[in-house]
Structures are given as C-alpha cells and as structure tokens.
Amino acid sequence: MVQLSRPELILKLIVEQYLTDGMPVSSKLLCEQSELGISSATVRNTMMLLEQQGFIRSPHTSAGRVPTTSGIRLFIDKMLQFEPLSGRWLDAIQLNLPPQLPVSLLCQQAGQLLANLTGMVSIVSAPKEQGRVIRQVDLVRLATQRLLLVVIDEDGDILHRVLFYDDLIDNPTLSRVLCLLNAALCGQDWLDGISRLALIAKQECGAVQALVKTAMAQLSLDEMQQHQPLIYGQHQLMQASDYHRDPQLQQVIELLDNPSCLVKLLTPVTQDHQPKLILGRESGIEPLAKVSLICARYRSQPHGFIALLGPRRMNYGRFVPLVEAVAQQMFFNLNHLNQSP
C-alpha cells in the first residue's frame, strides 16, 4: 500500500467516517477512534490545512468537517481499497445474467439486478443501435378482439405485444394482415419496415387497414423505446429521507425522466473497459452536484455502458467492483451470443 503523509492519513479517516454515517467529523472523534499517535492540537492544525487546500469544509460554524468533492476524489484515487465481491453477489450475477439472454433482456436484467443489489438507481444505455433487422413476424389470435404481435430481430430478441381491436377479427382478415406484415417487415431494417408498412396501409381499407395501422403504431413505439436508456430504481431515490429535504435531489428525478444529457455525459467517459467515477460537480450538470456515478462499458460496437447513480457518500469500495463485474458479465455474454452459430 502507498505510504500516506499525515494530512493524507487524516483525510482518509475523515472520508471513511463520513462515508459510513454522513456526519461531520471532529478532531476529537478522530483522536478517540484512531491510533494516530499525535495530539489533538496537531490533528486540528492538519484539518485546518486540509480545509485551506479545499479537501474538507465545515457545514456549520461550530461543527466538524466533511470532505469536499476534491477530498473524496483524492481518497478514491490514492487511498481507496476495493473489496472482493461477496459470494452472494457473484451468485446473483451468474443467476440473473446467463449467457443465452438476448441483448434487450440482458440489459433489462442487468439494470434491475444492479438497482436491487445496491438500493440505488441504475442506468443502462439503449439496448439497440439503429439499423436492426427483423427476422420473423407472427400474429396470433388470443381472443375475439385481441391479437398477439410477435417480432423477432436478428439478435434473437423477441417482442410480444397484445393488440386490441374493437370489432371482430375474422380469419381472412387475420391471414391478410399477417401476409402484409411479413412482406413489409421480414429481412428489413426496423425503420425501413415501418415505412414500407405505412405505404401498404394506404392501399388497404376497412378492418385490414385498421389492423395494419395498429401493428405499425406498436412497432413505432417499440422502435423509439429500444433507443432510450433503461432506468431502474428511481423509486428508491424518491423514498430516501434526503430526497424530501433537498430540492436538488428532486431535480435528479426530473433528469432521469429525460436522460439525454446523462447519455452525453457517460458515453465519452466509458471509452474503455475500466470503471469510471464521476463525483458530484465533476459532471458539470448542476442537478448531479450531490450524487455520484459509477459507470463501465459493456460493449464497444455499438457503444454500451451501465452506470450506478447514488449519493456522494456511497460505498465505493463495494460498488465499483460490482458495476465492473456486471459490465464484464454483459461483455462476456454478448461475445458468446455473437459467436453462437
């Protein structure tokens, strides 16, 4: 381990204590809970130096000190020791992210798993790139006024959507619509297929036209959703006690509802497989001033990342290895999927 100077050692103790309980740390507490072997006056003087250097600050006039973003950054870069993943977390990754999962389901499972294990917000970049090709289409009767639209793309992802229709759907209508869907969509880029379907719909009438338009609307909606990042765990942030006291944390939820700036932030950061940390104001996005992001790339072509968003005083020693492990498992799965016959 790197030999630390006295100021670095005291900063390390302050950050560790703050990450544990979120409370300001006093010189008295440091002397009582550690074996520094120096006087309380020396501790106070060192804390004054750290404050002058911008690594700690006083939240109140007579309080102890809390680390600044710069202080936490120095701690992470030079002093943080990462913990090995627990057996429970390793088992959860293996169980929830098996190699045979198609891309969309893999991204959903990974995002939900990360949120469940940490109690924080997970963000997964859009599962699909533009230009995915449709391989197979089917339309199955569920009931008199309900049909199941099934679309399988080139990655093996299967889309199931129930279509509702006010009138009775007879067999000739169902067969005609299925033929039109296959003619327009199979072997086509998703967006090109939707455009072809729109032209076909103009040439039809009655129940056939109405049903084709219903299927087209669903396909358009799903195409848009496939290019949106996946967000899990927002409710956990909203239930946190700090959320109700801090308007800035409420702005984070608004940001998650329209995450395009998060994608712009995280995409250039995750250009290699090393996990990255963005602490508070380092993001340059004001609503993120009181949260941190741990992110890692899981795919290079097309680019894909997974991230964890939580309070600045999250347990970095545990969560950085977790995000890295989930990203590595996703990377392994996608390589396995691409190599499968």
Side-chain angles (χ1 to χ4, degrees), residues 26-36:
S26 66
S27 58
K28 180 181 178 183
L29 181 67
L30 287 177
C31 290
E32 289 175 350
Q33 295 191 359
S34 64
E35 299 179 359
L36 290 172

Side-chain angles (χ1 to χ4, degrees), residues 153-182:
D153 70 12
E154 59 186 340
D155 292 328
D157 271 310
I158 304 175
L159 170 73
H160 296 96
R161 292 293 182 267
V162 177
L163 306 182
F164 295 91
Y165 195 63
D166 293 336
D167 300 322
L168 298 177
I169 304 168
D170 57 31
N171 287 332
T173 298
L174 182 60
S175 297
R176 174 64 178 166
V177 171
L178 181 56
C179 288
L180 294 175
L181 292 177
N182 276 283

Side-chain angles (χ1 to χ4, degrees), residues 100-106 108 127-128 132-140 148-162 190 218-219 222 225-226 337:
Q100 67 270 25
L101 288 179
V103 178
S104 291
L105 188 54
L106 174 66
Q108 294 169 25
K128 297 290 184 177
R132 59 184 176 138
V133 174
I134 296 174
R135 194 174 72 197
Q136 184 178 339
V137 182
D138 204 356
L139 202 55
V140 181
L148 180 65
L149 175 66
V150 182
V151 183
I152 304 175
D153 70 12
E154 59 186 340
D155 292 328
D157 271 310
I158 304 175
L159 170 73
H160 296 96
R161 292 293 182 267
V162 177
W190 197 286
Q218 184 62 66
L219 290 169
D222 281 288
Q225 291 175 341
Q226 287 288 341
L337 189 66

Side-chain angles (χ1 to χ4, degrees), residues 200-236:
I200 288 174
K202 291 180 180 179
Q203 301 169 11
E204 300 296 326
C205 60
V208 171
Q209 184 185 65
L211 194 50
V212 168
K213 287 184 174 180
T214 300
M216 187 171 62
Q218 184 62 66
L219 290 169
S220 299
L221 176 62
D222 281 288
E223 169 65 9
M224 180 183 68
Q225 291 175 341
Q226 287 288 341
H227 301 298
Q228 295 294 318
L230 307 175
I231 313 288
Y232 298 93
Q234 301 100 309
H235 65 286
Q236 295 169 147

